[in-house]
Amino acid sequence: MELPKTFDPKGMDQRWYDRWMEKKLFASLPDDREPYTIVIPPPNVTGVLHMGHALNNTIQDVLIRRARMQGKNACWVPGTDHASIATEAKVVQMLRERGIKKSELSREEFLKYAWEWKEKYGGIILHQLKKLGCSCDWDRTAFTMDDDYYRSVIRVFVDLYQKGYIYRGLRMIHWDPKAKTSLSDEEVIMKEVKSKLYFLRYKLEPTEDLSRDTNDAWITIATVRPETILGDVAICVNPKDDRYKSLVGKFAFVPLINRRIPIIADEYVEMEFGTGALKITPAHDANDYQIGLKHNLPVIDTLNEDGTMSEAAQLYIGQDRFECRKKILKDLEAQGHVVKMEDYLNKIGYSERTDAVVEPRLSMQWWVRMKDLSKPALESVMKGEIKFFPDKFINLYQHWMENIKDWCISRQLWWGHRIPAYYLPDGRLVVAETPDEAHQKAISDFGLSISELKKEDLRQDEDVMDTWFSSWLWPFEVFHGLSNPGNDEVKYYYPTTTLVTAPEIIFFWVARMIIAGFEYMGEKPFTHVYYTGTVRDTLGRKMSKSLGNSPDLLELIDKYGADAVRFGILISSPAGNDLLFDEKLIEQGRNFNNKIWNALRLVKGWSTESVNIDQVASGNILAVAWFESRLNEVHRKIEELLYEFQISAALKEIYSLIWDDFCSWYLEMVKPSFGETVDEYTYEKTLRLFEKLMQLLHPYMPFVTEEIYHQLFERSAEEFITISKYPAVNIINPIPFEEGQKVKALVTSVRDLRNKNQIKPKERLKLFALEKLEDRISSLVMKLCGLSSIEKTSGDVEKTFSFLVGSQKYFLESPHRIDSAEEKSRLEKDLEYHRGFLESVMKKLSNEKFVSNAKPDVIEKERKKASDAEEKIRLIQEQLKAIASQE
């Protein structure tokens, strides 16, 4: 069957994916093979495929496909995260479009709508990952609110509470007014913004030494949040500040509302900032709250949960906090309280989920004590039991773990794992896995009778847990490690092998999974952590919908094919470093597809015959042996790179091997002339070499490689490249490799001379050499350069162009008179180049730091470069002398 002239991935991608699924090639069950396990970082059920997902999941697929071909029991577990904040926002929006308010619904009614939304939209991103070619075991798809998973999350909460790690406390927290929920420290993104620093004066209460009519009857403070003055309960100065010593113990009045507040002293105040006088608003600043506790100050919360002003503010009630800021400034100015305004750069916290400006808020929340719980997780990484790639993230991890804070895990939402705390009518509480257990525990703990406390008297906590409190169990609970302890699957697959994730969730998720793994499985959850970079546009900006710089991945897949997209996203994405994405990279992937396809068409178009091959003279024998050596060399390098998780660098090696060495050189070496045949030995070896290349490339570009794998040879219905045996690294044969490299160098030099001197390719020329070339080398050079013969000479040959290959001198016959001036100019340019090269090498070798730190083989290579350059310089100088003597 004749192959199509152009490669078209449309239809082919889906056809092969359907066949892989039909044959259950991605399914995994425990057996006697070595497991290779990856658990997917569960995307939100609200998610759709974007560039970050493409990068992260393509890398996982490369690793899992390679492991599968290596004969390991490859298991890639997919799944999704319920994403409390994001999903609840989506459901609220859906209800609003239907004319329904959340406040009008009971919790149970709302959750019915939430599950309806999840069932309709929750699996979209997983279906899209199939379009990308991800070879997950889809039968294992997990969800963080599956029944067993849900029960395990509740069990962990109860267990940690009983161990004293979980507690309930009134503390200052980060509040998201848009989502109306608390946030952990890690869910707050600090952004530097341009603000205004407002200098506001407060009237001082008159005393015997302080007259109403003097200028001293005011004290000025500086703030970036004038709306919070309505919650002021004191003014604080440094006790060492001579400007204010006489005012400590006196009182001032809050502008507009005339609340009488004390002036206190505390060393916390920086005398150099602003005016050195600090307004204290305990309800709206974490540091102010600590000062308030120390000085026994009241707390006045002037904000509602949605960021509007509360009744406690007395003014602007119900108005948005930022609208209030504008209005209060006008009123303060009208009453003479604004002294001045200055431009001010400061950092403001934004919600990682909603991008709303976060408010500090005093709130009763549930917390996890992290210090002792996290110790094994820190040790495992520092000892190298868990390896980070790149390892630069170890220091970041260490710093966070050594300075870890308690984790706020309660969220004021309905969608999620509900906190298993049950309150008695008098406010006392018990923590238990079920209402029945809570009822029994309350009766037992508090010495009550069943008649004194009925089950319906208990009220369960309204809050749900932080989403990350469920996903930190992911590596073992996807195998039911907690819901069914010690089962065969968790014993086989856990700990997992590799985690691929983004560095921005190193604290959200990676650290916490390690903590949970040691606490509940007694060992690490994974061995390797590969951190991807952030996908940015060509201007260095992070991809985002708001900037309009994030392409539609499904459209790209439809336009170019999944292989081209995978190639484009991986070819320039080194571990831990950001990727500058350009659609041209995907075009490069498409062109690579076409190059491979055209190579297949070329090879399959050859006709063969059984002939006896002269093992000495045949250029094809050398070509095959050279490429086998080259392939083995690159394969060894690829494996070294992949061992260090340098996935992008390994792809570049494969790309160059196929495009340059195989397509541009090898196929040209063995290609029969027009109308001629190729011997069966060469044809069979070419197909096998092609097959091996496709096996090396398959983890990166699975669809085109599967298609070509089946086009190269007739295959049974059970044969697929995705489960074929990954090629072994063979020993490199240095002799044919060096001879092949010599052929390439000679051919390149001759072709360059032809081009520079405008000699037509059809003109048959002679080549003279000072050394006798082996027949297998001569036959290839003659074929590729269009030479009539290669002859040995004992000295310089007239009417020829001379050139060097290594340290050997050659002469190419000229069909026309040689311009000695041009030849001299060319040689002088070559001389200048080699002198510059020698200088750069010698500079490196004279660098003591380089010589002391470099490996011996690296230093030896540099010395060899220097000696080769010196020899080339000597030979060129001899040629220039010869030209000079003829002038």
Side-chain angles (χ1 to χ4, degrees):
M1 183 181 73
E2 188 175 346
L3 295 170
K5 288 185 178 180
T6 57
F7 176 74
D8 185 5
K10 284 186 179 178
M12 186 200 72
D13 289 10
Q14 191 62 51
R15 173 166 52 85
W16 282 118
Y17 202 91
D18 289 345
R19 287 190 62 184
W20 293 333
M21 293 289 286
E22 176 192 345
K23 297 294 183 179
K24 292 190 174 294
L25 301 187
F26 310 149
S28 173
L29 290 172
D31 57 27
D32 57 358
R33 291 176 293 166
E34 176 190 349
Y36 187 96
T37 315
I38 294 178
V39 291
I40 199 170
N44 292 347
V45 286
T46 59
V48 292
L49 201 61
H50 60 62
M51 299 305 294
H53 290 128
L55 174 62
N56 183 285
N57 288 284
T58 300
I59 289 170
Q60 291 176 81
D61 199 40
V62 169
L63 297 174
I64 209 77
R65 283 182 181 273
R66 176 168 170 267
R68 189 180 291 120
M69 293 173 73
Q70 287 175 321
K72 298 175 184 177
N73 191 342
C75 179
W76 183 11
V77 181
T80 49
D81 189 285
H82 64 283
S84 292
I85 297 175
T87 304
E88 185 146 327
K90 290 281 188 182
V91 176
V92 168
Q93 180 183 345
M94 177 190 75
L95 291 172
R96 191 183 299 121
E97 291 169 358
R98 297 183 185 181
I100 304 170
K101 294 181 180 179
K102 178 188 172 184
S103 58
E104 297 172 348
L105 300 174
S106 68
R107 187 186 195 105
E108 289 69 27
E109 288 170 333
F110 177 82
L111 288 176
K112 284 181 182 177
Y113 284 114
W115 279 105
E116 173 193 321
W117 190 95
K118 185 267 175 186
E119 292 305 316
K120 186 173 182 180
Y121 301 106
I124 288 176
I125 194 167
L126 297 182
H127 292 298
Q128 292 175 339
L129 288 174
K130 294 176 182 179
K131 293 287 186 185
L132 194 62
C134 294
S135 58
C136 301
D137 184 348
W138 297 106
D139 293 337
R140 293 183 176 277
T141 302
F143 179 49
T144 49
M145 281 178 58
D146 287 339
D147 289 345
D148 286 345
Y149 204 113
Y150 194 107
R151 282 191 290 270
S152 292
V153 174
I154 301 301
R155 188 170 302 163
V156 166
F157 185 101
V158 174
D159 178 67
L160 292 178
Y161 179 81
Q162 291 171 346
K163 290 174 178 175
Y165 286 123
I166 285 182
Y167 64 95
R168 187 169 182 256
L170 182 67
R171 291 176 56 179
M172 185 65 70
I173 52 97
H174 303 289
W175 182 261
D176 182 336
K178 188 173 182 180
K180 299 178 187 177
T181 181
S182 60
L183 302 172
S184 67
D185 291 347
E186 294 72 41
E187 290 171 302
V188 178
I189 299 171
M190 301 305 295
K191 300 180 184 179
E192 190 170 73
V193 297
K194 293 179 180 178
S195 299
K196 293 286 185 183
L197 188 62
Y198 303 96
F199 291 78
L200 309 175
R201 62 179 190 169
Y202 290 48
K203 181 77 72 176
L204 294 171
E205 183 180 60
T207 60
E208 292 180 4
D209 59 341
L210 195 63
S211 168
R212 282 179 182 272
D213 300 323
T214 67
N215 290 331
D216 294 332
W218 301 90
I219 185 169
T220 302
I221 61 93
T223 181
V224 293
R225 304 175 70 206
E227 70 277 10
T228 64
I229 71 170
L230 302 174
D232 286 354
V233 296
I235 292 174
C236 191
V237 298
N238 193 297
K240 297 176 183 177
D241 196 333
D242 293 334
R243 294 174 295 176
Y244 302 116
K245 279 184 178 179
S246 64
L247 296 182
V248 176
K250 293 183 169 59
F251 292 85
F253 294 95
V254 177
L256 304 183
I257 58 174
N258 291 323
R259 180 185 299 124
R260 182 173 180 264
I261 59 175
I263 299 172
I264 61 175
D266 196 289
E267 291 184 348
Y268 166 77
V269 178
E270 298 177 17
M271 291 187 285
E272 296 77 19
F273 175 76
T275 64
L278 182 70
K279 67 187 216 61
I280 304 300
T281 317
H284 302 295
D285 184 274
N287 296 317
D288 287 9
Y289 177 65
Q290 294 302 320
I291 292 174
L293 289 177
K294 185 176 178 181
H295 294 270
N296 198 28
L297 299 172
V299 176
I300 300 173
D301 188 350
T302 61
L303 286 175
N304 294 315
E305 63 176 16
D306 61 356
T308 58
M309 305 307 290
S310 70
E311 291 186 3
Q314 300 183 44
L315 302 174
Y316 318 106
I317 297 168
Q319 296 183 24
D320 179 78
R321 52 189 165 152
F322 297 120
E323 189 62 32
C324 172
R325 181 178 296 180
K326 296 175 186 176
K327 291 184 177 180
I328 198 171
L329 279 170
K330 288 182 180 179
D331 293 342
L332 288 167
E333 199 161 14
Q335 294 191 24
H337 290 286
V338 179
V339 177
K340 63 177 179 176
M341 293 180 286
E342 293 180 354
D343 290 333
Y344 183 62
L345 271 179
N346 64 321
K347 289 190 173 181
I348 293 178
Y350 287 78
S351 169
E352 188 263 343
R353 293 297 183 192
T354 67
D355 202 38
V357 174
V358 169
E359 287 288 344
R361 195 177 195 204
L362 189 63
S363 181
M364 183 67 76
Q365 301 288 340
W366 289 91
W367 304 81
V368 180
R369 301 182 203 276
M370 299 295 286
K371 194 167 184 64
D372 292 336
L373 199 59
S374 63
K375 286 179 181 177
L378 173 59
E379 291 173 2
S380 65
V381 172
M382 300 315 296
K383 288 179 180 177
E385 294 172 4
I386 297 175
K387 296 185 183 300
F388 284 3
F389 296 90
D391 60 9
K392 67 180 182 181
F393 290 109
I394 293 175
N395 290 337
L396 183 66
Y397 178 86
Q398 180 183 11
H399 176 76
W400 186 78
M401 294 292 276
E402 288 178 347
N403 297 277
I404 198 165
K405 297 178 182 178
D406 286 0
W407 175 15
C408 177
I409 58 167
S410 45
R411 298 291 179 268
Q412 289 63 55
L413 302 164
W414 282 350
W415 173 251
H417 304 84
R418 192 170 179 182
I419 287 176
Y422 299 83
Y423 299 90
L424 280 69
D426 62 8
R428 290 179 292 177
L429 68 86
V430 292
V431 170
E433 293 184 28
T434 66
D436 286 339
E437 289 178 20
H439 185 221
Q440 293 299 321
K441 185 171 177 57
I443 290 172
S444 173
D445 287 0
F446 303 125
L448 302 172
S449 65
I450 295 178
S451 60
E452 289 176 294
L453 181 70
K454 297 177 181 177
K455 188 169 73 172
E456 52 267 29
D457 293 334
L458 293 176
R459 176 182 59 84
Q460 187 174 355
D461 198 301
E462 292 292 326
D463 291 352
V464 298
M465 297 175 220
D466 177 13
T467 298
W468 300 103
F469 193 86
S470 53
S471 58
W472 72 332
L473 313 181
W474 190 252
F476 54 83
E477 191 47 34
V478 293
F479 301 112
H480 305 286
L482 203 60
S483 52
N484 183 16
N487 71 76
D488 290 340
E489 293 215 332
V490 78
K491 286 193 291 186
Y492 180 75
Y493 292 114
Y494 188 92
T496 65
T497 312
T498 305
L499 175 73
V500 179
T501 188
E504 54 260 35
I505 57 173
I506 190 171
F507 313 129
F508 283 119
W509 195 44
V510 179
R512 289 170 180 164
M513 281 192 290
I514 300 173
I515 292 169
F518 279 104
E519 182 67 18
Y520 289 101
M521 294 291 108
E523 59 181 320
K524 63 187 179 184
F526 28 71
T527 302
H528 307 119
V529 184
Y530 176 98
Y531 293 103
T532 66
T534 300
V535 183
R536 300 184 181 276
D537 64 15
T538 52
L539 298 177
R541 302 173 302 174
K542 187 175 180 179
M543 296 282 189
S544 72
K545 289 182 181 178
S546 59
L547 289 175
N549 63 349
S550 183
D552 186 316
L553 262 172
L554 292 181
E555 286 183 7
L556 290 176
I557 291 172
D558 186 58
K559 182 178 179 181
Y560 296 102
D563 286 331
V565 172
R566 290 165 65 111
F567 177 94
I569 201 77
L570 285 183
I571 195 65
S572 59
S573 57
N577 291 326
D578 291 350
L579 158 67
L580 296 181
F581 176 77
D582 190 329
E583 194 168 329
K584 290 178 180 177
L585 296 170
I586 296 181
E587 291 176 4
Q588 185 182 354
R590 177 190 60 190
N591 295 341
F592 188 34
N593 260 341
N594 290 334
K595 185 78 171 179
I596 301 169
W597 187 255
N598 287 332
L600 173 70
R601 292 183 64 244
L602 174 69
V603 173
K604 296 297 283 186
W606 293 344
S607 58
T608 63
E609 64 176 326
S610 179
V611 294
N612 293 322
I613 302 169
D614 184 338
Q615 297 293 322
V616 176
S618 173
N620 286 359
I621 290 291
L622 173 58
V624 169
W626 163 74
F627 186 74
E628 282 184 324
S629 297
R630 174 64 179 150
L631 193 157
N632 290 333
E633 179 199 42
V634 174
H635 189 187
R636 176 185 55 78
K637 190 170 183 180
I638 289 167
E639 295 308 306
E640 290 174 355
L641 290 169
L642 291 175
Y643 181 78
E644 293 295 329
F645 287 85
Q646 295 186 48
I647 294 169
S648 178
L651 176 57
K652 289 176 183 176
E653 291 290 336
I654 300 171
Y655 174 78
S656 178
L657 176 67
I658 294 174
W659 189 292
D660 297 327
D661 295 300
F662 184 70
C663 295
S664 299
W665 280 104
Y666 172 75
L667 290 182
E668 192 174 359
M669 289 177 179
V670 300
K671 179 178 66 176
S673 299
F674 182 75
E676 295 184 6
T677 58
V678 66
D679 61 88
E680 286 186 350
Y681 167 83
T682 302
Y683 185 67
E684 182 68 23
K685 290 295 288 187
T686 300
L687 294 182
R688 289 301 173 191
L689 290 168
F690 208 148
E691 178 184 59
K692 189 171 181 179
L693 290 172
M694 293 302 96
Q695 288 173 317
L696 292 178
L697 181 62
H698 175 73
Y700 290 91
M701 302 175 73
F703 294 108
V704 67
T705 52
E706 187 73 85
E707 177 71 20
I708 290 176
Y709 183 76
H710 285 262
Q711 293 288 352
L712 288 171
F713 298 99
E714 287 189 16
R715 310 280 183 184
S716 73
E718 305 303 315
E719 286 185 276
F720 295 90
I721 195 171
T722 196
I723 53 172
S724 67
K725 187 176 181 181
Y726 192 74
V729 179
N730 296 319
I731 298 171
I732 300 168
N733 187 339
I735 296 175
F737 177 74
E738 290 168 5
E739 289 180 339
Q741 294 302 97
K742 187 172 187 176
V743 169
K744 286 177 62 180
L746 268 169
V747 171
T748 300
S749 296
V750 171
R751 286 176 174 176
D752 284 347
L753 279 171
R754 278 183 177 273
N755 291 333
K756 287 176 183 176
N757 294 280
Q758 298 180 345
I759 303 172
K760 295 177 181 179
K762 290 183 179 180
E763 292 199 56
R764 298 286 174 176
L765 306 175
K766 292 180 181 180
L767 182 68
F768 301 93
L770 294 176
E771 60 171 347
K772 174 72 171 69
L773 293 179
E774 298 289 344
D775 287 349
R776 57 183 176 274
I777 295 177
S778 295
S779 61
L780 270 181
V781 174
M782 288 175 63
K783 175 181 178 180
L784 296 175
C785 293
L787 300 176
S788 59
S789 65
I790 299 177
E791 300 174 10
K792 185 177 181 303
T793 182
S794 57
D796 291 356
V797 182
E798 291 184 4
K799 296 183 180 180
T800 61
F801 300 103
S802 60
F803 63 94
L804 297 171
V805 173
S807 59
Q808 295 298 319
K809 193 174 181 181
Y810 296 88
F811 304 91
L812 178 66
E813 179 184 16
S814 172
H816 48 73
R817 182 178 176 275
I818 295 175
D819 188 325
S820 60
E822 285 185 11
E823 179 70 357
K824 181 180 178 182
S825 175
R826 183 181 67 81
L827 289 170
E828 285 174 343
K829 285 180 182 177
D830 286 349
L831 181 62
E832 183 182 358
Y833 168 79
H834 288 296
R835 279 174 171 167
F837 178 76
L838 177 60
E839 184 181 348
S840 67
V841 174
M842 295 309 295
K843 189 180 290 185
K844 194 180 289 187
L845 288 171
S846 63
N847 184 330
E848 291 183 11
K849 190 174 181 180
F850 169 77
V851 174
S852 60
N853 292 329
K855 294 179 180 179
D857 61 324
V858 173
I859 296 171
E860 186 56 37
K861 282 181 182 177
E862 293 300 316
R863 286 176 178 156
K864 178 72 167 56
K865 288 179 186 177
S867 64
D868 287 347
E870 288 170 346
E871 179 63 14
K872 287 177 180 177
I873 289 169
R874 184 186 67 77
L875 290 169
I876 292 172
Q877 287 173 332
E878 285 184 3
Q879 289 174 268
L880 287 169
K881 283 180 184 178
I883 292 174
S885 66
Q886 295 170 7
E887 292 177 345

